[in-house]
Amino acid sequence: MSWLRSLKATARSGLSVERRRLEPTVALRGATGLALVVGVSLVTLGPTAAVSSAFGAFQAAIATFQRSWRPRPVLALASGASLALSTFLGYLVGAHSPFFLALLAVWTFAAGLAWAVGPTAGIIASSNVAIMLVTVTLPTSIATAAGHAAMIAAGGVVQAALVVLVPIRRWGAQRDALADALAAEADYARRLRQDPRAAFDPEPLMTARLAATVTPREARRRPAELHGSRGVAERIRPVLASLADPALGVPEQGPERDRVRELLGAAASVLDAAARAIRHGEAVRIPAPAEAALRTPDTGAILSGPAFRAATRLIALLGDVVETAEGTGGDDSEPLLRPTLPRLVPLALRTMRAELGRRDSPVFRHAARVCAVAAAGYLLGKALPLGHGYWAPMASVMVMRPDFSQTYSRAVARFGGTLVGVALATGLVQLTHPGPGLSAALAVLCAFLMYLLMRTGYAAASACTSAYVVFLLGTGGLQWTQTVPDRVLLTLLGGVLAMAAYALYPAWETPRLRTRLADWLAACGRYAAAVVERYADPAAPADEVRRALLATRAARVAWQEALERATHEPVRHRGLSRAAAEGAGHAVGQLGRIAMLMEAHVPERGAPPVPAAAAFAGALRGATERGAKAVRERRVPRWDEAEQALAAWDVGEGAPDRVVRKGAGLLLHSLEELSDALASPAPPMALKDAGTPRS
């Protein structure tokens, strides 16, 4: 994609407003906490302290809106405490520009590395740096700086207390995540009725797993219906696929296929009913036709072999889903635990330190970019005769992200939103000439609108935030003429610096596509080999299969995200055309899908082993590891070892197990499709994109 087309695409993305489900009660709670902090500070400590405390409460409320599964009060407290520390340290060296510049560089570099811990940590750290640039200008002495830091921390405490005292749909996010996973499987079952080889996106299951990872305190308090449904849902997916797929199931036409379609439709109805019950905390209401279809004794008379085993397992698993959704079932396995915040700190520091040794990683490059841009923006802001020079680095820090499309789209959205927000706020100020009290009230109103609309797009959030800052600074006595023209120009400067930094020191995803594909291939190979080994040793524990499956999902998501980011990058492909990427991705996806089908038919403990499966599993694991290396080195992988193992299997075993032998052949066929996709020459239109990436 050319630079012009890429800039157009990112600009449209940044200025777009998405239709999302709004949460007015949650937004009202955040605005109420802000109003309490501002009102009390304004009456007791004066306008300047009110402005400082407002930033703490404002940022703490934003932290509670992040897509994190940690308790919301913990996020608010962490945000308020870290912002208070940043503000106090910034003031200590703020009077000496060289020292403050050094602190700003170190702080922004650390904030950039925080993205290695996760998006929530990265967003909170970046926001802390941006707000610190404003709040360090408010105090006049060390004592007042400590007071301002205390007020900022108090804002976080107030927001955390409101979350505890005014709970809104407790465990709602976890309920939604689990319900979405069940609803996705219901949709999958319906699609399998028409397309037996339909694809399934495991992202809802991955989200449900993240939502089910809790602290020890949460594990003791969560509702019973959230205990075991996710594990059952995980086991249903391969059973649905194996029941529908003609390769290991029933023919595509005939009475057996009709019975399979009936079972899939009934399964979809049960899963939808369970999802609805979990989402709203009510009893499961199964439609009568679905219940009758699952209880009829005709299944054993129509289906046989692997299809009958899959149908029997599906009916049993659906019963488990209903029991757990009603809170009467569930397994006794240990819950998935996440470290508490104090234990997370050393883990986060080790993760950030590890990024220092990976100079080509997107996170390290983002940290270096944001550090250089913040320092350059601060120096330019001080040199230009505009006043309020901190707005340039503040805008840069707020829009910069580790990937190209988000940085550029947010830069456009930030400037557009700033123009709209400042224009509206300025017009209202000129018409009403509000005093400190009315300015504070208008700031709270803008904050409420920001909380309400922040998930609809960054442009809308930026407009509300810009108006909020204008009114809030007006509360402290700064007139609009002192801030608005400077803010617009310096916001534009900050956005331009952020965009230029990415162009000069990029972290393109396009050249990494082969590495992402190789990682996914190796993960799928390990998963398939672990499944095949279970046929060779049915008594072996299933832990390895589970770990390999989770690694496969993570590698698949990394590949898809990389492919999506590469689509919008102004970089020509390096050895992997769009057609090759699509074909290779389909082939590796088929490899994982066939392994999943085979997992649904893994024999029970005590079943006779299939000795030849062990040799094929070892050959498959080695072949995919070497194949992944070949993909990274721009070679077409070969599968001679797996082919020889499969040939020896046919010679040495008289009556092999139908599922594992047929599945092994399908696995090898998927690998051959991968080689064909990588060996195929680029189509004529793709040849125009050939060349080396521009950086």
Side-chain angles (χ1 to χ4, degrees):
M1 182 180 290
S2 66
W3 270 99
L4 181 59
R5 291 178 59 193
S6 181
L7 291 176
K8 287 181 179 179
T10 53
R12 284 195 300 267
S13 174
L15 296 176
S16 64
V17 177
E18 300 179 13
R19 302 184 66 177
R20 295 288 184 91
R21 183 169 61 89
L22 304 181
E23 297 180 338
T25 53
V26 180
L28 181 61
R29 183 179 64 190
T32 300
L34 177 61
L36 288 174
V37 172
V38 173
V40 172
S41 301
L42 192 61
V43 172
T44 59
L45 300 175
T48 305
V51 172
S52 185
S53 62
F55 277 114
F58 179 73
Q59 174 62 19
I62 291 178
T64 63
F65 280 87
Q66 299 307 312
R67 293 183 177 90
S68 173
W69 302 109
R70 289 199 170 275
R72 303 297 156 180
V74 173
L75 295 177
L77 291 173
S79 175
S82 58
L83 179 57
L85 177 63
S86 299
T87 298
F88 184 69
L89 292 178
Y91 179 77
L92 289 181
V93 298
H96 309 285
S97 294
F99 297 102
F100 180 75
L101 183 63
L103 175 68
L104 179 62
V106 172
W107 225 235
T108 50
F109 187 79
L113 290 179
W115 284 90
V117 181
T120 300
I123 290 173
I124 292 177
S126 301
S127 301
N128 286 347
V129 173
I131 295 176
M132 177 192 73
L133 290 164
V134 181
T135 54
V136 295
T137 64
L138 299 174
T140 56
S141 66
I142 293 180
T144 56
H148 279 268
M151 291 302 300
I152 289 173
V157 172
V158 170
Q159 293 288 12
L162 278 179
V163 174
V164 174
L165 297 175
V166 190
I168 298 174
R169 198 165 175 256
R170 197 189 299 271
W171 295 97
Q174 285 81 1
R175 288 183 178 276
D176 286 343
L178 180 54
D180 289 345
L182 293 174
E185 289 196 321
D187 176 71
Y188 182 51
R190 291 191 180 92
R191 288 188 290 112
L192 286 173
R193 298 182 68 195
Q194 307 302 324
D195 180 8
R197 301 174 182 84
F200 179 79
D201 185 358
E203 184 176 355
L205 293 177
M206 298 174 69
T207 303
R209 179 178 174 82
L210 291 175
T213 307
V214 293
T215 62
R217 184 173 182 271
E218 288 179 312
R220 296 190 296 268
R221 295 170 175 261
R222 63 178 174 173
E225 59 267 28
L226 299 182
H227 275 255
S229 296
R230 180 196 59 81
V232 181
E234 292 270 6
R235 295 194 293 272
I236 285 180
R237 180 209 168 187
V239 175
L240 289 172
S242 66
L243 180 63
D245 195 281
L248 299 177
V250 300
E252 298 193 37
Q253 299 295 333
E256 292 177 309
R257 175 57 56 178
D258 293 338
R259 178 57 183 154
V260 165
R261 290 195 181 101
E262 186 179 10
L263 288 173
L264 292 173
S269 298
V270 172
L271 290 169
D272 272 337
R276 187 164 48 250
I278 289 174
R279 194 183 303 276
H280 301 291
E282 58 188 27
V284 181
R285 297 180 177 88
I286 302 175
E291 191 169 2
L294 294 173
R295 290 187 175 182
T296 178
D298 294 342
T299 301
I302 299 175
L303 302 180
S304 61
F308 177 72
R309 292 199 301 269
T312 304
R313 288 185 180 181
L314 177 62
I315 294 171
L317 289 172
L318 291 174
D320 292 341
V321 166
V322 173
E323 289 182 0
T324 52
E326 292 179 338
T328 58
D331 51 32
D332 298 326
S333 60
E334 291 294 325
L336 301 173
L337 296 179
R338 70 173 73 250
T340 59
L341 199 60
R343 294 186 177 182
L344 179 64
V345 172
L347 297 176
L349 292 176
R350 284 198 294 270
T351 302
M352 294 166 62
R353 187 167 59 248
E355 288 295 324
L356 294 175
R358 302 172 58 207
R359 300 303 172 90
D360 289 333
S361 76
V363 171
F364 177 84
R365 287 185 166 240
H366 169 69
R369 279 194 305 270
V370 74
C371 172
V373 167
Y378 179 77
L379 292 175
L380 286 174
K382 288 183 66 67
L384 293 173
L386 297 176
H388 312 289
Y390 53 78
W391 273 329
M394 182 177 70
S396 298
V397 172
M398 290 299 293
V399 304
M400 294 183 75
R401 292 293 185 265
D403 67 276
F404 164 81
S405 59
Q406 284 197 52
T407 297
Y408 275 59
S409 64
R410 287 172 67 88
V412 174
R414 180 83 179 183
F415 183 69
T418 297
L419 284 178
V420 173
V422 166
L424 294 177
T426 299
L428 190 56
V429 166
Q430 286 185 303
L431 289 174
T432 61
H433 299 287
L438 182 56
S439 294
L442 291 172
V444 171
L445 176 60
C446 291
F448 168 74
L449 293 175
M450 202 282 291
Y451 298 148
L452 184 66
L453 302 175
M454 65 184 300
R455 289 180 178 170
T456 64
Y458 191 60
S462 295
C464 297
T465 302
S466 300
Y468 166 79
V469 172
V470 170
F471 290 129
L472 188 64
L473 294 180
T475 303
L478 294 175
Q479 300 299 318
W480 73 271
T481 54
Q482 294 176 283
T483 61
V484 173
D486 302 346
R487 178 175 175 79
V488 172
L489 292 176
L490 289 170
T491 299
L492 176 60
L493 175 62
V496 170
L497 286 175
M499 297 168 75
Y502 207 105
L504 294 173
Y505 189 55
W508 301 128
E509 199 65 49
T510 301
R512 297 186 179 90
L513 285 180
R514 279 187 170 272
T515 300
R516 303 291 187 190
L517 178 64
D519 293 342
W520 187 21
L521 170 61
C524 282
R526 288 189 291 270
Y527 171 50
V531 170
V532 174
E533 283 178 340
R534 287 294 307 280
Y535 286 85
D537 185 9
D543 295 346
E544 184 179 353
V545 174
R546 181 62 180 163
R547 287 193 297 269
L549 174 61
L550 296 177
T552 300
R553 289 180 179 173
R556 177 184 183 273
V557 168
W559 160 257
Q560 289 182 324
E561 291 178 348
L563 198 60
E564 177 66 21
R565 287 194 291 266
T567 302
H568 301 289
E569 290 179 348
V571 183
R572 300 183 187 276
H573 74 80
R574 183 180 292 173
L576 192 61
S577 66
R578 181 178 301 179
E582 291 178 355
H586 174 75
V588 179
Q590 284 295 102
L591 178 67
R593 178 178 169 275
I594 294 165
M596 179 193 66
L597 296 178
M598 297 174 68
E599 183 187 358
H601 295 284
V602 166
E604 302 288 342
R605 291 178 179 272
V610 183
F616 179 77
L620 180 65
R621 182 180 284 106
T624 49
E625 290 289 347
R626 285 186 290 275
K629 182 180 179 182
V631 171
R632 294 188 185 96
E633 296 174 352
R634 308 180 188 282
R635 295 184 288 108
V636 177
R638 297 180 59 84
W639 317 107
D640 297 339
E641 184 179 355
E643 292 174 354
Q644 293 171 3
L646 196 61
W649 188 341
D650 292 336
V651 172
E653 191 162 324
D657 181 274
R658 172 188 169 190
V659 172
V660 66
R661 174 58 186 84
K662 192 169 186 179
L666 294 173
L667 291 173
L668 184 58
H669 180 67
S670 298
L671 294 175
E672 292 170 347
E673 285 187 347
L674 172 63
S675 296
D676 293 341
L678 295 176
S680 300
M685 294 186 65
L687 293 177
K688 298 179 181 179
D689 296 331
T692 57
R694 294 173 292 174
S695 60

